[in-house]
Amino acid sequence: MQWSIHLARDRRRSEHTVRAYRATAERLVAFLTLHWGERIDRAGLARVTAPDLRAYLAQRRGSGLSNASAARELSAVRGFLDWAGGIGAAPRLKGPRVKKGVPRPISPDEAVGLASDVAEESDEPWVAARDWAVLLLLYGAGLRIGEALGLTGAVLPLGETLRVTGKRDRTRIVPLLPPVRAAIEDYAARVPWPLTPDAALFRGVRGGTLDGGIVRARVRAARARLGLSDRTTPHALRHSFATHLLGRGADLRALQELLGHASLSSTQVYTGVDAAHLLDVYRAAHPRG
């Protein structure tokens, strides 16, 4: 589909985003085919009206779509229709109201304990070292899981900072704390494949690029063993990195740079995180909380 090519080549969207947006476009076309009783081509998409979109969203909501998911679906549909008919072609339609969620951090002890538990489950020393290094990167440097797995052997030998390529190919420099650097170096010394500059730094058991799904599955298993919340995901480690820095007086602009956020508003959510975390602590400790 040309829409997918446009997203990947021109908009530089991630593989996951391209896959999700393509699925949305295919669902819309299938709906319109039944709704209008005719074959839908690119020119036909220019005839989509606000009532058509409301009918489509009503169908999707009938399948159990939440407000947040419906809002994302509408955003993807608008992008598809603007691509098909030109900017502004998509009908203006107010999306469902979405209560802005506040990321919930985990404590430093929980973060380190989670990484330790994941590592200790592996019988292969190099795999244990790999899992420990990946999770420490998420918590100790605030990387997204995709950013960590996108690193190549070109980062070796390590220095005091790391150049990271984030969303839409934006690059940033993040400091490497000594424990994080030591974990990566230990893994690099153990991995059974050569870490060439053009190959993935973190490898799967067969030598290919480590899949993010494997990391998520290992974290799910570890949080069950440790009795941690379902919100304890690899991405929660990044949230915790941000929250703990902010709680220790980090400047919001500096935190924006460290996280690779395009706008400050994306970073400002962590001011709510810190307040929520402190309130949780207060309620747990105060006899009348």
Side-chain angles (χ1 to χ4, degrees):
M1 178 183 275
Q2 292 297 314
W3 169 233
S4 300
I5 296 173
H6 166 72
L7 288 171
R9 183 188 62 198
D10 302 329
R11 301 298 302 278
R12 296 182 178 180
R13 301 300 195 192
S14 69
E15 181 181 343
H16 172 77
T17 298
V18 171
R19 188 164 55 246
Y21 276 38
R22 174 171 179 160
T24 296
E26 289 172 346
R27 282 193 294 268
L28 176 66
V29 170
F31 169 80
L32 292 173
T33 299
L34 293 175
H35 189 59
W36 290 348
E38 62 184 65
R39 183 176 178 274
I40 307 299
D41 56 16
R42 185 166 177 173
L45 292 171
R47 295 190 286 114
V48 174
T49 63
D52 292 327
L53 288 189
R54 289 194 191 95
Y56 170 72
L57 287 177
Q59 182 199 63
R60 295 287 292 136
R61 293 300 295 273
S63 64
L65 213 63
S66 67
N67 275 8
S69 295
R72 288 193 295 270
E73 187 98 351
L74 180 58
S75 176
V77 164
R78 284 171 176 159
F80 176 54
L81 294 177
D82 280 346
W83 167 80
I87 299 299
R92 297 300 95 188
L93 182 65
K94 190 175 182 179
R97 295 186 63 181
V98 180
K99 184 178 179 181
K100 195 162 187 179
V102 176
R104 308 302 287 182
I106 60 176
S107 72
D109 287 345
E110 287 174 335
V112 174
L114 179 73
S116 296
D117 189 87
V118 170
E120 289 167 2
E121 278 298 299
S122 177
D123 294 328
E124 285 282 352
W126 78 266
V127 173
R130 177 201 70 191
D131 293 347
W132 172 251
V134 168
L135 294 179
L136 278 200
L137 257 180
L138 305 188
Y139 176 62
L143 270 63
R144 302 176 177 95
I145 182 68
E147 293 170 346
L149 302 187
L151 296 173
T152 69
V155 302
L156 301 174
L158 296 171
E160 294 185 351
T161 60
L162 186 68
R163 180 180 293 274
V164 178
T165 301
K167 290 185 175 181
R168 305 189 188 174
D169 289 338
R170 288 193 296 266
T171 61
R172 66 185 189 276
I173 304 297
V174 299
L176 272 184
L177 298 174
V180 179
R181 186 165 63 247
I184 299 172
E185 289 172 342
D186 180 54
Y187 157 72
R190 294 172 181 269
V191 63
W193 286 279
L195 298 177
T196 55
D198 59 344
L201 175 63
F202 294 111
R203 306 294 187 85
V205 293
R206 296 181 181 177
T209 302
L210 176 61
D211 187 273
I214 292 174
V215 179
R216 294 183 185 94
R218 289 174 183 263
V219 167
R220 280 197 301 272
R223 78 184 180 215
R225 290 190 295 268
L226 297 173
L228 297 176
S229 163
D230 287 348
R231 293 186 179 187
T232 306
T233 63
H235 204 65
L237 294 174
R238 173 174 156 90
H239 291 324
S240 300
F241 164 84
T243 305
H244 297 158
L245 281 182
L246 190 62
R248 287 161 177 76
D251 176 77
L252 206 58
R253 285 286 183 188
L255 187 58
Q256 177 189 359
E257 291 294 323
L258 286 175
L259 293 172
H261 285 160
S263 66
L264 188 62
S265 61
S266 298
T267 313
Q268 284 173 330
V269 68
Y270 291 104
T271 60
V273 172
D274 199 51
H277 179 58
L278 291 176
L279 186 58
D280 287 345
V281 172
Y282 172 81
R283 285 170 173 164
H286 198 282
R288 296 182 183 177

